[in-house]
Amino acid sequence: MGAAVKPIQPRIRRTHLAVFVRDPVASSEWYKDVLGMEETARGEQWVFMSFGVKHHDIALIRATDRVGKGIRTSPRDALIAGSVAPEIRGRAYGFHRAMDHTGAIIGPLLCVGVVAALTAGAKMSDLLSVLRTTFLLSIVPGLLAVATLLLFVREEPNAERPRATATFTLTAFDGNFRRYLLAVAMFTLGNSSDAFLLYRVQESLGESVSLAWLTQRLPGLDAAAQRIAGAQAPALIFLPLVWSFFHIVKALLSTPFGSLSDRLGRRRIIGAGWTIYAAVYAGFAALDTFPASWRAEATLGLFMIYAVYYAFTEGPEKALVADLVPAERRGSAFGSFHFAVGAAALPASILFGFVYASYGAPVAFSMGAGIAVLATVFLAALVTERPAHPLTPSHHAGDRP
């Protein structure tokens, strides 16, 4: 009688990180050695990594963070609209986006400083402990933001404003606003995750001879590149720099272009931004046709122009929401706006990823450019830009800075 067969215990594997790389083996080893992660699956150009079953579920934490974002975003946008005169709403929303992007620049720098202080000053050697401590300290800016909101931001009550009943339908809005939401959703269907752009940038930078030449001549970067296995080393070093400069451009231009929408009109500025988006995606579609000797420069140029698209659209899109609806419906209007964007964003990235994997980058980026052009035409033809709804009597323009 043979030995008893030990039953196989099923193991739950959580994928916390999906990495698209040219060398999945080298990347997997790096994440194992540095972060203690486990490989859950691997393909020819991708690898899935997990922190394992004993660690916290990062996906659940990330989902909770997005729930918080969903709760705060619409009331915040409505609060901004009610805090400034209608004629400077574009500037106000542009300034808000500029501050958000400034935080995206300063935040990583503070993170690097904290990590350096913990490792060099506090002599912490365990990387996971350093990361946990860094994430714990990141609570401090959040608490300061909440304290600022509670102590220094005033929302003036208005007895003359009729109380609107809570509604989850679009019947309370006119057809013009609904058509605007449809235009935004249509554009979002062609606006996939920026992760695809970063992957496209990494592809181009990895093949760039000029980038490798530059890396060899900059102090410290050559040594850092030699410690990273694979031909993608220069791209992995320069990609964070590209992303940081991307936010710098957005921070510098968001307020001026928001102000421009106050003078030239929201629809015109939004349409220009969507057209820039279509042109950038068309450029990324044709990237393989560029000479290899200056493909990296072309990629960086396209990415910076892509930042200009954000500056053209982020503030004016929200300002137009406030312009098209009465004051008592702003909260619901912004909720509908963000719902339209969120509902279209997920299928947009799924569709783009499927086309990218099945037919290649040129087809995928051409599709995104084409959808953006259709949305721009729809916006220009079917959405009417009307004068901003006036402030209620207790909110005169002269009362606002």
Side-chain angles (χ1 to χ4, degrees), residues 275-343:
T275 303
I276 292 173
Y277 175 93
V280 169
Y281 262 51
F284 275 107
L287 197 59
D288 292 337
T289 64
F290 295 177
S293 57
W294 56 280
R295 192 175 298 170
E297 291 80 358
T299 303
L300 295 176
L302 286 171
F303 209 76
M304 293 309 103
I305 298 174
Y306 184 59
V308 177
Y309 140 73
Y310 274 102
F312 261 93
T313 58
E314 285 186 319
E317 284 179 352
K318 295 180 179 181
L320 185 55
V321 173
D323 292 346
L324 294 180
V325 299
E328 64 271 15
R329 292 291 180 184
R330 283 183 192 142
S332 299
F334 279 112
S336 301
F337 171 81
H338 290 294
F339 174 79
V341 173

Side-chain angles (χ1 to χ4, degrees), residues 334-367:
F334 279 112
S336 301
F337 171 81
H338 290 294
F339 174 79
V341 173
L346 179 60
S349 293
I350 294 176
L351 176 63
F352 190 93
F354 172 78
V355 175
Y356 197 120
S358 302
Y359 305 100
V363 177
F365 282 99
S366 297
M367 177 189 69

Side-chain angles (χ1 to χ4, degrees), residues 44 63 121 136 143 198 245 252 306 354 389:
E44 294 183 356
L136 182 62
L143 294 177
L198 292 174
F245 189 58
L252 291 175
Y306 184 59
F354 172 78
H389 282 271

Side-chain angles (χ1 to χ4, degrees), residues 79-92:
L79 182 61
I80 294 175
S83 300
V84 299
E87 59 267 20
I88 60 169
R89 279 180 187 153
R91 191 198 332 173

Side-chain angles (χ1 to χ4, degrees), residues 112-138:
V112 171
V114 170
V115 171
L118 293 175
T119 54
K123 306 298 183 183
M124 294 179 64
S125 58
D126 181 56
L127 182 58
L128 285 179
S129 298
V130 171
L131 293 178
R132 289 193 182 104
T133 304
T134 303
F135 280 115
L136 182 62
L137 291 175
S138 68

Side-chain angles (χ1 to χ4, degrees), residues 30-323:
W30 187 88
Y31 283 101
K32 289 178 183 176
D33 295 340
V34 176
L35 297 180
M37 300 183 74
E38 301 177 5
E39 179 183 311
T40 60
R42 184 199 302 169
E44 294 183 356
Q45 288 191 329
W46 54 266
V47 59
F48 288 167
M49 305 299 297
S50 170
F51 279 103
V53 296
K54 295 182 180 180
H55 292 74
H56 53 267
D57 194 335
I58 294 179
L60 179 60
I61 293 176
R62 182 63 173 170
T64 305
D65 168 70
R66 294 299 89 184
V67 170
K69 179 179 174 63
I71 292 174
R72 76 173 189 265
T73 301
S74 296
R76 178 205 64 204
D77 291 340
L79 182 61
I80 294 175
S83 300
V84 299
E87 59 267 20
I88 60 169
R89 279 180 187 153
R91 191 198 332 173
Y93 283 110
F95 180 74
H96 163 255
R97 296 309 304 156
M99 292 299 97
D100 187 73
H101 295 310
T102 301
I105 298 168
I106 298 176
L109 297 178
L110 289 177
C111 179
V112 171
V114 170
V115 171
L118 293 175
T119 54
K123 306 298 183 183
M124 294 179 64
S125 58
D126 181 56
L127 182 58
L128 285 179
S129 298
V130 171
L131 293 178
R132 289 193 182 104
T133 304
T134 303
F135 280 115
L136 182 62
L137 291 175
S138 68
I139 297 175
V140 175
L143 294 177
L144 292 176
V146 173
T148 302
L149 178 67
L150 296 178
L151 298 177
F152 301 105
V153 177
R154 292 185 300 116
E155 184 179 11
E156 298 180 7
N158 185 2
E160 299 182 13
R161 178 184 301 174
R163 183 179 296 274
T165 57
T167 178
F168 297 98
T169 68
L170 296 176
T171 56
F173 305 109
D174 61 14
N176 188 52
F177 180 70
R178 292 198 293 267
R179 288 191 295 273
Y180 174 56
L181 292 184
L182 183 59
V184 170
M186 184 187 305
F187 174 78
T188 306
L189 281 176
N191 186 6
S192 58
S193 170
D194 288 343
F196 291 106
L197 280 177
L198 292 174
Y199 180 58
R200 186 68 165 148
V201 171
Q202 182 177 341
E203 278 186 324
S204 176
L205 294 181
E207 298 171 354
S208 172
V209 177
S210 58
L211 182 59
W213 177 88
L214 180 61
T215 303
Q216 294 172 1
R217 283 156 180 79
L218 290 179
L221 288 185
D222 187 37
Q226 292 177 0
R227 290 194 296 267
I228 303 176
Q232 291 287 335
L236 293 177
I237 292 173
F238 273 87
L239 203 57
L241 300 179
V242 171
W243 187 248
S244 297
F245 189 58
F246 176 64
H247 279 289
I248 291 174
V249 174
K250 291 197 288 186
L252 291 175
L253 297 181
S254 290
T255 303
F257 284 124
S259 298
L260 194 62
S261 75
D262 293 327
R263 298 192 298 271
L264 300 182
R266 322 283 189 213
R267 194 178 58 171
R268 184 179 301 178
I269 299 301
I270 295 171
W274 289 2
T275 303
I276 292 173
Y277 175 93
V280 169
Y281 262 51
F284 275 107
L287 197 59
D288 292 337
T289 64
F290 295 177
S293 57
W294 56 280
R295 192 175 298 170
E297 291 80 358
T299 303
L300 295 176
L302 286 171
F303 209 76
M304 293 309 103
I305 298 174
Y306 184 59
V308 177
Y309 140 73
Y310 274 102
F312 261 93
T313 58
E314 285 186 319
E317 284 179 352
K318 295 180 179 181
L320 185 55
V321 173
D323 292 346

